[in-house]
Amino acid sequence: MPFANFKFLEGIIDASRKEEIIHRTTAMFVEYFGEGVRPYTMVLVEEVTDGGWGRADETLTLEKMGMKEK
């Protein structure tokens, strides 16, 4: 079963963008593996609260990433 998991900071993408991600990701899996994978393809688009993730032992926030006014 092809599976993709996208995580975005909460509020930076809207419902139509999520739908586009799901459709385009599914199309990519079908392109690579054939039409037979379409019914089994899962795409999960999750929103993570600001400060709810990190990298290299540092909590990431919109402000630290320059995406929010200080």
Side-chain angles (χ1 to χ4, degrees):
M1 169 193 316
F3 175 75
N5 185 353
F6 295 91
K7 294 183 188 282
F8 296 94
L9 286 175
E10 190 172 47
I12 67 169
I13 60 171
D14 60 17
S16 65
R17 181 65 72 168
K18 291 175 189 176
E19 189 172 347
E20 179 185 357
I21 290 166
I22 291 166
H23 291 312
R24 292 180 69 177
T25 302
T26 301
M28 180 192 67
F29 282 133
V30 168
E31 180 183 339
Y32 281 109
F33 302 113
E35 189 62 41
V37 302
R38 185 180 301 276
Y40 306 105
T41 297
M42 175 175 274
V43 181
L44 180 60
V45 180
E46 296 182 283
E47 291 188 271
V48 179
T49 58
D50 194 23
W53 64 340
R55 179 187 69 217
D57 199 34
E58 179 183 357
T59 302
L60 295 176
T61 64
L62 288 171
E63 185 176 333
K64 287 180 181 177
M65 294 173 19
M67 299 176 71
K68 185 176 185 178
E69 295 293 322
K70 293 183 181 184

